[in-house]
Amino acid sequence: MKRGKQIFIFLLILLLCGGYAFWRSGLHLSPEAAMAAEERGLLYGPSDEILLTYEKENGDFVYVGRWEKGLSAVCVEPKWGRFWRTADLESGFSRCLPITENMGAFLIDRSYIVGLSCLPEVTEVTCYLNVWSQQVHEDLFLQEITMEVAENGFFFGEVNISENEIWDGCTIGYLEGRNAAGEVVFQNGEKKKLTAYPKGEGYIIKDLERET
């Protein structure tokens, strides 16, 4: 075998081994490619379109995509300046967020709520954020977030929660959708009468029903 042919075969094997090692490492050339690979690994997707992208304080990026009738949330991080790989969200791992009702909303990270409305008349959505209380053993109202709904039905809003112990127990307890006239056309969940105000390492409980 001629030396030139040997060199060519050696370089080809080296290239194939390098490509296989790169594929096994979970590295990708773009954040979108990393997101699509993560979704395929979770046996759904890839997303039809990217609806929201934001950067976290540590330099990671969160991508929210639309997949069929639901959403997908994936966190990616830059690696070695030009590559990307998946990372964990504050609330857990990347995941599919199925919409089983006419409207659904999810806490995907320490700072964001995302949701999707299948009702074209809904133009504004309000979420009531609750937190579980060990003192009274029930959910307490923590925060109200109102969001505008885009033409494609997508909505999102930032959440201001600084206490880790409160964030860990947070859920969306009530979801309300209104039309352009302000009429409520969708409701899901229950409005709580007890509310929690963060203070130090815990929170103060007040009874809103008694105050009114």
Side-chain angles (χ1 to χ4, degrees):
M1 185 181 293
K2 294 183 179 180
R3 186 169 181 81
K5 191 173 183 180
Q6 290 178 328
I7 293 174
F8 174 77
I9 293 175
F10 174 76
L11 291 176
L12 182 61
I13 293 174
L14 191 65
L15 182 63
L16 291 174
C17 290
Y20 179 75
F22 180 82
W23 175 72
R24 292 287 295 175
S25 68
L27 297 177
H28 301 272
L29 295 175
S30 70
E32 293 82 5
M35 177 182 183
E38 176 76 354
E39 292 174 328
R40 284 193 294 267
L42 295 173
L43 304 181
Y44 74 93
S47 292
D48 301 321
E49 59 177 324
I50 305 298
L51 300 173
L52 174 67
T53 305
Y54 65 90
E55 184 177 4
K56 300 170 64 173
E57 292 182 359
N58 63 358
D60 293 353
F61 287 81
V62 175
Y63 278 69
V64 179
R66 184 167 190 161
W67 178 71
E68 292 188 351
K69 294 183 179 180
L71 299 172
S72 171
V74 177
C75 183
V76 296
E77 62 177 354
K79 189 69 175 178
W80 300 332
R82 58 188 307 174
F83 301 114
W84 297 83
R85 68 180 182 185
T86 55
D88 293 340
L89 294 162
E90 292 284 349
S91 55
F93 304 105
S94 305
R95 62 194 190 278
C96 177
L97 308 171
I99 306 295
T100 57
E101 303 282 344
N102 285 328
M103 186 185 302
F106 307 88
L107 284 161
I108 60 165
D109 212 32
R110 189 179 298 276
S111 304
Y112 275 87
I113 289 176
V114 298
L116 199 62
S117 171
C118 300
L119 302 172
E121 66 270 26
V122 173
T123 59
E124 190 176 70
V125 170
T126 295
C127 286
Y128 284 69
L129 199 62
N130 293 342
V131 61
W132 175 256
S133 169
Q134 294 291 348
Q135 296 172 257
V136 296
H137 299 289
E138 68 172 278
D139 283 333
L140 309 177
F141 170 76
L142 181 64
Q143 195 173 127
E144 177 181 331
I145 303 97
T146 299
M147 297 155 281
E148 293 184 359
V149 181
E151 291 184 1
N152 60 5
F154 180 65
F155 57 89
F156 70 94
E158 292 190 60
V159 182
N160 183 22
I161 301 175
S162 59
E163 302 293 338
N164 292 335
E165 66 279 359
I166 289 181
W167 167 260
D168 290 340
C170 280
T171 58
I172 296 175
Y174 176 74
L175 185 64
E176 180 179 285
R178 295 178 298 276
N179 59 21
E183 299 170 332
V184 176
V185 295
F186 179 87
Q187 288 178 301
N188 187 27
E190 178 187 2
K191 294 183 179 180
K192 308 301 294 186
K193 68 176 183 178
L194 294 178
T195 187
Y197 293 94
K199 183 178 182 181
E201 296 182 354
Y203 42 82
I204 302 171
I205 300 173
K206 291 187 178 181
D207 192 331
L208 293 181
E209 198 172 70
R210 289 183 181 177
E211 291 182 1
T212 55

